[in-house]
Coordinates of all heavy atoms in Angstrom, one line a residue:
M1 N 0.8 -1.2 0.0 CA 0.0 0.0 0.0 C 0.9 1.2 0.0 O 1.8 1.3 0.8 CB -0.9 0.0 1.2 CG -1.8 1.2 1.2 SD -2.7 1.4 2.7 CE -4.0 0.2 2.6
R2 N 0.6 2.2 -0.8 CA 1.3 3.5 -0.9 C 0.8 4.5 0.0 O -0.4 4.6 0.2 CB 1.3 4.0 -2.4 CG 1.9 3.0 -3.3 CD 1.7 3.4 -4.8 NE 2.6 4.5 -5.1 CZ 2.6 5.1 -6.2 NH1 1.7 4.9 -7.1 NH2 3.5 6.1 -6.5
A3 N 1.7 5.3 0.6 CA 1.3 6.4 1.4 C 0.8 7.6 0.6 O 1.4 7.8 -0.5 CB 2.4 6.8 2.4
T4 N -0.1 8.4 1.1 CA -0.6 9.6 0.3 C 0.5 10.6 0.5 O 1.0 10.9 1.6 CB -1.9 10.1 0.9 OG1 -2.8 9.0 0.9 CG2 -2.4 11.2 0.1
P5 N 0.9 11.2 -0.6 CA 1.9 12.3 -0.6 C 1.4 13.5 0.3 O 0.2 13.8 0.3 CB 2.1 12.8 -2.0 CG 1.5 11.7 -2.8 CD 0.5 11.0 -2.0
P6 N 2.3 14.1 1.0 CA 1.9 15.2 1.9 C 1.2 16.4 1.2 O 0.3 17.0 1.7 CB 3.2 15.7 2.6 CG 4.2 14.7 2.3 CD 3.7 13.9 1.1
E7 N 1.6 16.7 -0.1 CA 1.0 17.8 -0.8 C -0.5 17.5 -1.1 O -1.3 18.4 -1.3 CB 1.7 18.1 -2.1 CG 1.9 17.0 -3.0 CD 3.1 16.2 -2.8 OE1 3.9 16.5 -1.9 OE2 3.3 15.2 -3.6
K8 N -0.9 16.3 -1.1 CA -2.4 16.0 -1.3 C -3.2 16.1 0.0 O -4.4 16.2 -0.1 CB -2.5 14.6 -1.9 CG -2.0 14.5 -3.4 CD -2.4 13.2 -4.0 CE -2.0 13.3 -5.5 NZ -2.4 12.0 -6.2
L9 N -2.5 16.1 1.1 CA -3.2 16.2 2.4 C -3.4 17.6 2.8 O -4.2 17.9 3.7 CB -2.4 15.5 3.5 CG -2.2 13.9 3.3 CD1 -1.3 13.4 4.4 CD2 -3.6 13.3 3.3
R10 N -2.7 18.5 2.2 CA -2.9 20.0 2.6 C -4.2 20.5 2.1 O -4.7 20.2 1.0 CB -1.8 20.8 1.9 CG -0.4 20.5 2.5 CD 0.6 21.4 1.9 NE 1.9 20.9 2.3 CZ 3.0 21.1 1.5 NH1 2.9 21.6 0.3 NH2 4.2 20.6 1.9
K11 N -4.8 21.3 2.9 CA -6.0 22.0 2.6 C -5.7 23.2 1.8 O -4.7 23.9 2.0 CB -6.8 22.4 3.9 CG -7.3 21.2 4.7 CD -8.0 21.6 5.9 CE -8.5 20.5 6.7 NZ -9.2 20.9 7.9
P12 N -6.7 23.7 0.9 CA -6.4 24.9 0.2 C -6.4 26.1 1.1 O -7.1 26.1 2.1 CB -7.6 24.9 -0.8 CG -8.6 24.0 -0.2 CD -7.9 23.0 0.6
P13 N -5.7 27.2 0.7 CA -5.7 28.3 1.6 C -7.0 29.0 1.7 O -7.8 29.0 0.7 CB -4.6 29.3 0.9 CG -4.6 28.8 -0.5 CD -4.9 27.3 -0.5
V14 N -7.3 29.6 2.8 CA -8.5 30.3 3.0 C -8.3 31.8 2.6 O -7.4 32.4 3.0 CB -8.9 30.3 4.5 CG1 -10.2 31.1 4.8 CG2 -9.1 28.8 5.0
V15 N -9.2 32.2 1.8 CA -9.1 33.6 1.3 C -10.0 34.5 2.2 O -11.1 34.3 2.4 CB -9.7 33.7 -0.2 CG1 -9.6 35.2 -0.7 CG2 -8.9 32.8 -1.1
K16 N -9.3 35.5 2.8 CA -10.0 36.4 3.7 C -10.3 37.7 3.0 O -9.6 38.2 2.1 CB -9.1 36.7 4.9 CG -8.8 35.5 5.7 CD -7.9 35.9 6.9 CE -7.7 34.7 7.8 NZ -6.8 35.0 9.0
K17 N -11.5 38.3 3.4 CA -11.9 39.6 2.8 C -11.1 40.7 3.5 O -10.6 40.5 4.6 CB -13.3 39.8 3.0 CG -14.2 38.8 2.3 CD -15.7 39.1 2.5 CE -16.5 38.2 1.7 NZ -18.0 38.4 2.0
A18 N -10.9 41.7 2.7 CA -10.2 42.9 3.3 C -10.9 43.4 4.5 O -12.1 43.6 4.5 CB -10.0 44.0 2.2
Q19 N -10.2 43.7 5.6 CA -10.8 44.1 6.8 C -11.1 45.6 6.9 O -12.0 46.1 7.5 CB -10.0 43.7 8.0 CG -9.8 42.2 8.1 CD -11.0 41.5 8.4 OE1 -11.9 42.0 9.1 NE2 -11.2 40.3 7.9
N20 N -10.2 46.4 6.2 CA -10.3 47.8 6.4 C -10.9 48.6 5.3 O -10.8 49.8 5.2 CB -8.9 48.4 6.7 CG -7.8 47.9 5.8 OD1 -8.1 47.0 5.0 ND2 -6.6 48.4 5.8
L21 N -11.6 47.9 4.4 CA -12.3 48.6 3.3 C -13.7 49.0 3.8 O -14.4 48.1 4.4 CB -12.4 47.8 2.1 CG -11.2 47.6 1.2 CD1 -11.5 46.7 0.0 CD2 -10.7 48.9 0.7
P22 N -14.2 50.2 3.5 CA -15.6 50.5 3.9 C -16.6 49.7 3.1 O -16.3 49.2 2.0 CB -15.7 52.0 3.4 CG -14.3 52.5 3.2 CD -13.5 51.3 3.0
A23 N -17.7 49.5 3.6 CA -18.7 48.6 3.0 C -19.2 49.1 1.7 O -19.5 48.4 0.8 CB -19.9 48.5 4.0
N24 N -19.2 50.4 1.5 CA -19.7 51.0 0.2 C -18.7 51.2 -0.9 O -19.0 51.6 -2.0 CB -20.4 52.3 0.5 CG -19.5 53.4 1.1 OD1 -18.4 53.0 1.4 ND2 -19.9 54.6 1.2
L25 N -17.4 50.8 -0.6 CA -16.3 51.0 -1.5 C -16.1 49.6 -2.3 O -15.9 48.6 -1.6 CB -15.1 51.4 -0.8 CG -13.9 51.7 -1.7 CD1 -14.1 52.9 -2.5 CD2 -12.6 51.9 -0.8
P26 N -16.3 49.6 -3.6 CA -16.1 48.3 -4.3 C -14.6 47.9 -4.2 O -13.7 48.7 -4.1 CB -16.5 48.7 -5.7 CG -16.4 50.1 -5.9 CD -16.6 50.7 -4.5
R27 N -14.4 46.6 -4.4 CA -13.0 46.1 -4.3 C -12.2 46.5 -5.6 O -11.1 46.8 -5.5 CB -13.0 44.6 -4.1 CG -13.6 44.3 -2.7 CD -13.5 42.8 -2.5 NE -12.3 42.6 -1.7 CZ -11.9 41.4 -1.4 NH1 -12.5 40.3 -1.8 NH2 -10.9 41.2 -0.6
L28 N -12.9 46.4 -6.7 CA -12.3 46.8 -8.0 C -13.2 47.6 -8.8 O -14.4 47.4 -8.8 CB -11.9 45.5 -8.8 CG -10.9 44.6 -8.2 CD1 -10.8 43.3 -9.0 CD2 -9.5 45.2 -8.1
V29 N -12.7 48.5 -9.6 CA -13.5 49.4 -10.5 C -12.8 49.3 -11.8 O -11.6 49.1 -11.9 CB -13.6 50.8 -10.0 CG1 -14.4 50.9 -8.7 CG2 -12.2 51.5 -9.9
P30 N -13.6 49.5 -12.9 CA -12.9 49.5 -14.2 C -11.9 50.6 -14.3 O -12.0 51.7 -13.7 CB -14.1 49.8 -15.2 CG -15.3 49.3 -14.4 CD -15.0 49.6 -13.0
L31 N -10.9 50.4 -15.1 CA -9.8 51.3 -15.3 C -10.2 52.7 -15.7 O -9.8 53.7 -15.1 CB -8.8 50.8 -16.3 CG -7.4 51.5 -16.4 CD1 -6.7 51.5 -15.0 CD2 -6.6 50.9 -17.4
Q32 N -11.2 52.8 -16.6 CA -11.6 54.1 -17.1 C -12.4 54.9 -15.9 O -12.3 56.1 -15.8 CB -12.5 54.0 -18.3 CG -13.0 55.3 -18.9 CD -11.8 56.0 -19.5 OE1 -11.0 55.5 -20.3 NE2 -11.7 57.3 -19.3
V33 N -13.2 54.1 -15.1 CA -13.9 54.7 -14.0 C -12.9 55.3 -13.0 O -13.1 56.4 -12.5 CB -14.9 53.7 -13.4 CG1 -15.5 54.2 -12.1 CG2 -15.9 53.3 -14.4
W34 N -11.9 54.5 -12.7 CA -10.8 55.0 -11.8 C -10.2 56.3 -12.3 O -10.0 57.2 -11.5 CB -9.7 53.9 -11.6 CG -8.5 54.3 -10.9 CD1 -8.4 54.4 -9.6 CD2 -7.3 54.7 -11.5 NE1 -7.1 54.9 -9.3 CE2 -6.4 55.1 -10.4 CE3 -6.8 54.8 -12.8 CZ2 -5.1 55.5 -10.7 CZ3 -5.5 55.3 -13.0 CH2 -4.7 55.6 -12.0
A35 N -9.9 56.3 -13.6 CA -9.3 57.6 -14.1 C -10.2 58.7 -14.0 O -9.8 59.8 -13.7 CB -8.9 57.3 -15.6
D36 N -11.5 58.5 -14.3 CA -12.5 59.6 -14.2 C -12.6 60.1 -12.7 O -12.7 61.3 -12.5 CB -13.9 59.1 -14.6 CG -13.9 58.9 -16.2 OD1 -13.1 59.4 -16.9 OD2 -14.8 58.1 -16.6
L37 N -12.6 59.1 -11.8 CA -12.6 59.5 -10.3 C -11.4 60.3 -9.9 O -11.5 61.3 -9.2 CB -12.7 58.3 -9.4 CG -14.0 57.5 -9.5 CD1 -13.9 56.2 -8.7 CD2 -15.2 58.4 -9.0
L38 N -10.2 59.9 -10.5 CA -9.0 60.5 -10.1 C -8.8 61.9 -10.8 O -8.3 62.8 -10.1 CB -7.8 59.6 -10.4 CG -6.4 60.0 -9.9 CD1 -6.4 59.9 -8.4 CD2 -5.4 59.0 -10.5
M39 N -9.1 62.0 -12.1 CA -8.7 63.2 -12.8 C -9.9 63.9 -13.4 O -9.7 64.9 -14.1 CB -7.8 62.7 -14.0 CG -6.5 62.1 -13.5 SD -5.6 61.4 -14.8 CE -4.5 60.3 -13.9
G40 N -11.1 63.4 -13.2 CA -12.3 64.1 -13.7 C -12.3 64.2 -15.2 O -12.0 63.2 -15.9
E41 N -12.7 65.4 -15.7 CA -12.8 65.6 -17.2 C -11.5 65.5 -17.9 O -11.4 65.5 -19.1 CB -13.5 66.9 -17.5 CG -12.7 68.1 -17.0 CD -13.5 69.4 -17.3 OE1 -14.7 69.4 -17.0 OE2 -12.9 70.3 -17.8
H42 N -10.4 65.5 -17.1 CA -9.0 65.5 -17.7 C -8.4 64.1 -17.8 O -7.2 64.0 -17.9 CB -8.1 66.5 -17.0 CG -8.6 67.9 -16.9 ND1 -8.7 68.7 -18.0 CD2 -9.1 68.6 -15.9 CE1 -9.2 69.8 -17.7 NE2 -9.5 69.8 -16.4
A43 N -9.3 63.1 -17.6 CA -8.8 61.7 -17.6 C -8.2 61.4 -19.0 O -8.8 61.8 -20.0 CB -9.9 60.8 -17.3
P44 N -7.1 60.6 -19.0 CA -6.5 60.3 -20.3 C -7.3 59.3 -21.1 O -8.2 58.6 -20.6 CB -5.1 59.7 -19.9 CG -5.3 59.3 -18.5 CD -6.3 60.2 -17.9
H45 N -7.0 59.1 -22.4 CA -7.7 58.1 -23.2 C -7.4 56.7 -22.8 O -6.4 56.4 -22.1 CB -7.2 58.3 -24.7 CG -7.9 57.6 -25.7 ND1 -7.6 56.3 -26.1 CD2 -9.1 57.9 -26.4 CE1 -8.5 55.9 -27.0 NE2 -9.4 56.9 -27.2
K46 N -8.3 55.8 -23.1 CA -8.2 54.4 -22.6 C -6.9 53.8 -23.1 O -6.3 52.9 -22.4 CB -9.4 53.6 -23.1 CG -9.6 53.5 -24.5 CD -10.8 52.6 -24.9 CE -11.0 52.6 -26.4 NZ -12.2 51.8 -26.7
N47 N -6.4 54.2 -24.3 CA -5.1 53.6 -24.8 C -3.9 54.1 -23.9 O -3.0 53.3 -23.6 CB -4.8 54.0 -26.2 CG -5.8 53.4 -27.2 OD1 -6.4 52.4 -26.8 ND2 -5.9 53.9 -28.4
T48 N -4.0 55.3 -23.4 CA -3.0 55.8 -22.5 C -3.0 55.1 -21.2 O -2.0 54.7 -20.6 CB -3.1 57.3 -22.3 OG1 -3.1 58.0 -23.5 CG2 -2.1 57.9 -21.4
L49 N -4.2 54.8 -20.7 CA -4.4 54.1 -19.5 C -3.8 52.7 -19.6 O -3.1 52.2 -18.7 CB -5.8 54.0 -19.1 CG -6.5 55.3 -18.7 CD1 -8.0 55.1 -18.5 CD2 -5.9 55.8 -17.4
R50 N -4.0 52.0 -20.7 CA -3.4 50.7 -21.0 C -1.9 50.8 -21.0 O -1.2 49.9 -20.5 CB -4.0 50.1 -22.3 CG -5.4 49.6 -22.1 CD -5.8 48.7 -23.3 NE -7.2 48.9 -23.5 CZ -7.7 49.3 -24.7 NH1 -7.0 49.6 -25.7 NH2 -9.0 49.5 -24.8
N51 N -1.4 51.8 -21.6 CA 0.1 52.0 -21.6 C 0.6 52.1 -20.2 O 1.7 51.6 -19.9 CB 0.5 53.2 -22.5 CG 0.4 52.9 -23.9 OD1 0.4 51.8 -24.4 ND2 0.2 54.0 -24.7
W52 N -0.1 52.9 -19.3 CA 0.3 53.0 -17.9 C 0.3 51.6 -17.2 O 1.2 51.4 -16.5 CB -0.6 53.9 -17.2 CG -0.5 55.4 -17.6 CD1 0.4 55.9 -18.5 CD2 -1.3 56.5 -17.1 NE1 0.2 57.3 -18.6 CE2 -0.8 57.6 -17.7 CE3 -2.3 56.6 -16.2 CZ2 -1.3 58.9 -17.5 CZ3 -2.9 57.8 -15.9 CH2 -2.4 59.0 -16.6
V53 N -0.7 50.8 -17.5 CA -0.8 49.5 -16.9 C 0.5 48.7 -17.3 O 1.1 48.1 -16.5 CB -2.1 48.8 -17.3 CG1 -2.0 47.3 -16.9 CG2 -3.3 49.4 -16.7
N54 N 0.7 48.6 -18.6 CA 1.8 47.8 -19.2 C 3.2 48.3 -18.7 O 4.1 47.5 -18.6 CB 1.8 47.8 -20.7 CG 0.5 47.0 -21.2 OD1 0.0 46.1 -20.5 ND2 0.0 47.4 -22.3
S55 N 3.3 49.6 -18.4 CA 4.6 50.1 -18.0 C 4.7 50.2 -16.5 O 5.7 50.6 -15.9 CB 4.9 51.5 -18.6 OG 3.9 52.4 -18.1
G56 N 3.7 49.7 -15.7 CA 3.8 49.6 -14.3 C 3.6 51.0 -13.6 O 4.1 51.2 -12.5
R57 N 2.9 51.9 -14.2 CA 2.7 53.2 -13.6 C 1.5 53.3 -12.6 O 1.3 54.4 -12.0 CB 2.6 54.3 -14.6 CG 3.9 54.5 -15.4 CD 3.7 55.6 -16.4 NE 5.0 55.8 -17.1 CZ 5.2 56.8 -17.9 NH1 4.3 57.7 -18.1 NH2 6.3 56.9 -18.6
I58 N 0.8 52.3 -12.5 CA -0.4 52.3 -11.6 C -0.1 51.3 -10.5 O 0.2 50.1 -10.8 CB -1.7 52.0 -12.3 CG1 -2.0 53.0 -13.4 CG2 -2.9 51.9 -11.3 CD1 -3.1 52.7 -14.3
H59 N -0.2 51.8 -9.2 CA 0.1 50.9 -8.1 C -1.0 50.9 -7.1 O -1.4 52.0 -6.7 CB 1.4 51.3 -7.4 CG 1.8 50.4 -6.3 ND1 2.4 49.2 -6.6 CD2 1.7 50.5 -5.0 CE1 2.6 48.6 -5.4 NE2 2.2 49.4 -4.4
P60 N -1.5 49.8 -6.6 CA -1.2 48.4 -7.0 C -1.6 48.1 -8.4 O -2.6 48.7 -9.0 CB -2.0 47.6 -6.0 CG -3.0 48.5 -5.4 CD -2.6 49.9 -5.6
R61 N -1.0 47.2 -9.0 CA -1.1 46.8 -10.4 C -2.6 46.4 -10.7 O -3.2 45.6 -10.0 CB -0.2 45.7 -10.8 CG -0.2 45.4 -12.3 CD 1.0 44.5 -12.6 NE 0.9 43.9 -13.9 CZ 1.0 44.6 -15.1 NH1 1.4 45.9 -15.0 NH2 0.9 44.0 -16.2
P62 N -3.2 46.9 -11.8 CA -4.5 46.5 -12.2 C -4.6 45.0 -12.6 O -3.6 44.4 -12.9 CB -4.8 47.4 -13.4 CG -4.0 48.6 -13.2 CD -2.7 48.1 -12.6
V63 N -5.8 44.5 -12.6 CA -6.0 43.1 -12.9 C -6.8 43.0 -14.2 O -7.8 43.7 -14.3 CB -6.7 42.4 -11.7 CG1 -7.0 40.9 -12.1 CG2 -5.9 42.5 -10.5
K64 N -6.5 42.1 -15.1 CA -7.3 42.0 -16.3 C -8.3 40.8 -16.0 O -7.9 39.7 -15.8 CB -6.4 41.7 -17.5 CG -7.2 41.7 -18.8 CD -6.3 41.8 -20.0 CE -7.0 42.1 -21.2 NZ -6.2 42.1 -22.4
I65 N -9.5 41.1 -16.2 CA -10.6 40.1 -16.0 C -11.4 40.1 -17.3 O -12.0 41.1 -17.7 CB -11.5 40.5 -14.8 CG1 -10.7 40.6 -13.6 CG2 -12.7 39.4 -14.7 CD1 -11.5 41.0 -12.4
G66 N -11.2 39.0 -18.1 CA -11.8 38.9 -19.4 C -11.0 39.9 -20.3 O -9.8 39.8 -20.5
K67 N -11.7 40.8 -20.9 CA -11.1 41.8 -21.8 C -10.9 43.1 -21.2 O -10.4 44.0 -21.8 CB -12.0 42.0 -23.1 CG -12.1 40.7 -23.9 CD -12.9 41.0 -25.2 CE -13.0 39.8 -26.0 NZ -13.8 40.1 -27.3
R68 N -11.3 43.3 -19.9 CA -11.3 44.6 -19.3 C -10.3 44.6 -18.1 O -10.0 43.6 -17.5 CB -12.6 45.0 -18.7 CG -13.7 45.0 -19.8 CD -15.0 45.4 -19.3 NE -15.0 46.8 -18.9 CZ -16.0 47.4 -18.2 NH1 -17.0 46.7 -17.8 NH2 -15.9 48.6 -17.8
W69 N -9.7 45.8 -17.9 CA -8.8 46.0 -16.8 C -9.5 46.6 -15.6 O -10.4 47.5 -15.8 CB -7.7 47.0 -17.2 CG -6.6 46.4 -18.1 CD1 -6.6 46.5 -19.4 CD2 -5.5 45.6 -17.7 NE1 -5.5 45.8 -19.9 CE2 -4.8 45.3 -18.8 CE3 -5.1 45.2 -16.5 CZ2 -3.7 44.5 -18.8 CZ3 -3.9 44.4 -16.4 CH2 -3.2 44.0 -17.6
F70 N -9.3 46.1 -14.4 CA -9.9 46.6 -13.2 C -8.8 47.0 -12.2 O -7.7 46.4 -12.2 CB -10.8 45.5 -12.5 CG -12.0 45.3 -13.3 CD1 -12.0 44.4 -14.4 CD2 -13.2 45.9 -13.1 CE1 -13.1 44.1 -15.1 CE2 -14.3 45.7 -13.8 CZ -14.3 44.8 -14.8
V71 N -9.0 48.0 -11.4 CA -8.0 48.5 -10.4 C -8.7 48.8 -9.1 O -9.9 49.0 -9.1 CB -7.4 49.8 -11.0 CG1 -8.4 50.9 -11.2 CG2 -6.2 50.2 -10.3
Q72 N -7.9 48.7 -8.0 CA -8.5 49.1 -6.7 C -8.8 50.6 -6.7 O -8.0 51.4 -7.3 CB -7.5 48.8 -5.6 CG -7.3 47.3 -5.5 CD -6.2 47.0 -4.4 OE1 -5.8 47.9 -3.7 NE2 -5.9 45.7 -4.3
P73 N -9.9 51.0 -6.1 CA -10.3 52.4 -6.1 C -9.2 53.4 -5.5 O -9.1 54.5 -5.9 CB -11.6 52.5 -5.3 CG -12.1 51.1 -5.3 CD -10.9 50.2 -5.4
D74 N -8.4 52.9 -4.6 CA -7.4 53.7 -4.0 C -6.0 53.6 -4.6 O -5.0 54.1 -4.1 CB -7.3 53.4 -2.5 CG -6.9 51.9 -2.2 OD1 -7.0 51.1 -3.2 OD2 -6.5 51.6 -1.1
A75 N -6.0 53.1 -5.8 CA -4.7 53.0 -6.6 C -4.2 54.3 -6.9 O -4.9 55.3 -7.0 CB -4.9 52.1 -7.8
E76 N -2.9 54.4 -7.1 CA -2.2 55.7 -7.4 C -1.5 55.6 -8.7 O -0.9 54.5 -9.1 CB -1.2 56.1 -6.3 CG -1.9 56.3 -5.0 CD -0.9 56.6 -3.9 OE1 0.3 56.4 -4.1 OE2 -1.3 57.0 -2.8
Y77 N -1.4 56.7 -9.5 CA -0.5 56.8 -10.6 C 0.9 57.3 -10.2 O 1.0 58.2 -9.4 CB -1.1 57.9 -11.6 CG -0.2 58.2 -12.7 CD1 0.0 57.3 -13.8 CD2 0.5 59.4 -12.8 CE1 0.9 57.6 -14.8 CE2 1.4 59.7 -13.8 CZ 1.5 58.8 -14.8 OH 2.4 59.1 -15.8
I78 N 1.9 56.6 -10.7 CA 3.2 56.9 -10.3 C 3.9 57.4 -11.6 O 4.1 56.7 -12.6 CB 4.0 55.6 -9.8 CG1 3.3 55.0 -8.6 CG2 5.4 55.9 -9.5 CD1 3.7 53.7 -8.2
S79 N 4.3 58.7 -11.5 CA 5.0 59.3 -12.7 C 6.5 59.0 -12.7 O 7.0 58.5 -11.7 CB 4.7 60.8 -12.7 OG 5.3 61.4 -11.5
D80 N 7.1 59.3 -13.8 CA 8.6 59.1 -13.9 C 9.4 59.9 -12.9 O 9.3 60.9 -12.5 CB 9.0 59.3 -15.3 CG 8.5 58.2 -16.2 OD1 8.2 57.1 -15.7 OD2 8.4 58.5 -17.4

């Protein structure tokens, strides 16, 4: 009889919800919505926002879900 490898006995990690986010604040918002909230009517074009994502200028880094980019509402733009 073969023993079960230890990696098969491990339980999957438990994902915890963020503790310090207000209840009315979404966890992720679309990239264009974030830019509108941050810069108002002076928000850059969606292609510029994608360039910022690819060059790492938005922190924390946005997440691509399907075809759209999403970012945390409190993310910041980091200039050169």
Side-chain angles (χ1 to χ4, degrees):
M1 182 188 284
R2 298 172 77 185
T4 306
E7 56 270 0
K8 290 191 177 182
L9 296 176
R10 293 184 188 146
K11 293 182 181 179
V14 176
V15 178
K16 295 182 179 179
K17 294 182 179 179
Q19 299 295 329
N20 46 354
L21 285 179
N24 60 351
L25 185 66
R27 295 184 98 185
L28 295 173
V29 294
L31 190 59
Q32 187 66 49
V33 172
W34 170 80
D36 291 338
L37 291 172
L38 189 67
M39 301 172 198
E41 65 182 46
H42 303 290
H45 191 267
K46 63 182 179 180
N47 292 341
T48 303
L49 293 172
R50 283 191 214 126
N51 287 336
W52 289 358
V53 170
N54 293 330
S55 63
R57 292 186 180 187
I58 301 174
H59 184 75
R61 185 166 169 76
V63 179
K64 191 168 189 180
I65 302 174
K67 294 182 178 182
R68 299 181 68 190
W69 285 99
F70 290 86
V71 66
Q72 292 179 8
D74 59 347
E76 296 179 347
Y77 170 74
I78 302 170
S79 61
D80 289 335

